[in-house]
Amino acid sequence: MVNRPVLETSTGTESADRVADVLIAFAQSDRALGVSEIARTLDLSKAVVHRILQSLASRSIVQPVAGESTYSLGPAAIGLGTKAWSQLDVRSIAAPVLRALRANTRETATLSVLVGHRRVYLDQYESPQEVKMVVEIGPQYALHSGASSRAILAFLPDRFAEEAFQELRGNSPDADETRFRARLAEIRTNGYATSTNERNTGAASIAAPFFDAAGHVLGSVSSSGPAFRYSSSADDEHIVHAGQVVAAAQSITTILEARAAR
């Protein structure tokens, strides 16, 4: 039997409210948080916040940041985020857009979403062609590699790019940060990302981000297929293909904005 910290508050409702407030503080922050900051923001004692964080950490909902006196969301929270995305209607919103993108490009159209500091494929519509790309729904992918990931990363706060590059350098010690940053800047300028032979040999992808009504990036739409069918960025065919992907992502953003305005 695992002994876990018990929250000592006057009532169960008060305890639940405090835990919820702490979780919301993490959800609304783009960085790790410390006990003192949370206590000050929520007008709670440090002792109460510390007990809440201990309880959440024992369940992997938050985790201490190595070398710092702060906490970030943990793997269990990321799992909850994945489940939440599956229950939201963004998948149904995107479905007709993805089907249209597949019809226009004849390549596999995918929907990815940001979950914590990772990307997850939420849906796909496979290419009708015999040779095609098929993705696995559910696994978490790093933000540093692949068009679908970088299309999201380019529009996140800088801390995410710093973290992503450190992770990339851990896998590829020769990674160049200047080039990495330049690619993100190019994505912001063009409105889309590309990749060839990055996560899978022989695979290529074009991806564009979509946003919520407040302008926060939520995920990306991509068109993926075998590299031999994807032209270079200088070709008219590539420009048309990229424009179709960008238009698909913008359609999802427009629908989300309209729903938020109701």
Side-chain angles (χ1 to χ4, degrees):
M1 180 176 180
V2 178
N3 292 320
R4 287 174 169 159
V6 177
L7 302 181
E8 299 174 4
T9 54
S10 57
T11 68
T13 300
E14 183 180 2
S15 172
D17 287 345
R18 289 174 174 177
V19 172
D21 287 341
V22 170
L23 286 173
I24 290 172
F26 278 100
Q28 293 178 338
S29 176
D30 62 359
R31 56 184 173 78
L33 300 174
V35 172
S36 296
E37 181 179 1
I38 296 171
R40 183 171 59 254
T41 301
L42 300 181
D43 195 23
L44 297 174
S45 72
K46 292 182 183 180
V48 168
V49 172
H50 181 69
R51 287 198 297 271
I52 291 173
L53 291 175
Q54 281 189 311
S55 179
L56 294 175
S58 73
R59 294 159 173 82
S60 297
I61 296 174
V62 300
Q63 59 188 3
V65 177
E68 299 181 15
S69 57
T70 58
Y71 290 79
S72 64
L73 290 175
I78 294 174
L80 288 172
T82 304
K83 187 67 174 178
W85 271 117
S86 68
Q87 293 176 355
L88 291 175
D89 63 354
V90 66
R91 189 176 179 187
S92 62
I93 288 172
V97 176
L98 294 179
R99 286 195 296 267
L101 180 60
R102 177 186 61 180
N104 291 333
T105 64
R106 291 181 55 78
E107 301 292 356
T108 297
T110 73
L111 177 73
S112 292
V113 293
L114 178 67
V115 179
H117 292 230
R118 288 288 187 269
R119 174 183 65 84
V120 174
Y121 284 115
L122 195 62
D123 205 359
Q124 72 174 324
Y125 285 83
E126 296 180 18
S127 166
Q129 303 186 75
E130 184 175 355
V131 181
K132 61 187 175 183
M133 291 301 302
V134 178
V135 303
E136 185 178 358
I137 307 298
Q140 299 171 14
Y141 295 96
L143 295 177
H144 57 67
S145 299
S148 291
S149 287
R150 282 197 301 275
I152 298 170
L153 180 63
F155 295 91
L156 287 170
D158 188 66
R159 183 176 64 87
F160 285 81
E162 293 177 3
E163 178 184 290
F165 179 74
Q166 292 305 318
E167 184 176 1
L168 174 62
R169 189 160 60 181
N171 299 326
S172 305
D174 295 332
D176 185 290
E177 185 170 7
T178 299
R179 183 171 181 272
F180 181 77
R181 296 279 188 169
R183 293 189 75 179
L184 295 181
E186 184 180 11
I187 293 167
R188 287 190 289 271
T189 298
N190 295 338
Y192 66 91
T194 62
S195 63
T196 304
N197 297 319
E198 285 194 27
R199 289 196 308 103
N200 295 298
T201 302
S205 181
I206 302 172
F210 63 91
F211 305 84
D212 65 13
H216 300 126
V217 64
L218 297 180
S220 61
V221 170
S222 81
S223 177
S224 304
F228 69 83
R229 287 206 297 260
Y230 280 64
S231 55
S232 71
S233 60
D235 293 341
D236 291 342
E237 185 179 346
H238 171 89
I239 294 172
V240 171
H241 196 158
Q244 291 169 328
V245 176
V246 170
Q250 289 176 340
S251 294
I252 296 174
T253 298
T254 299
I255 295 171
L256 292 173
E257 289 174 342
R259 293 202 171 194
R262 290 178 182 175

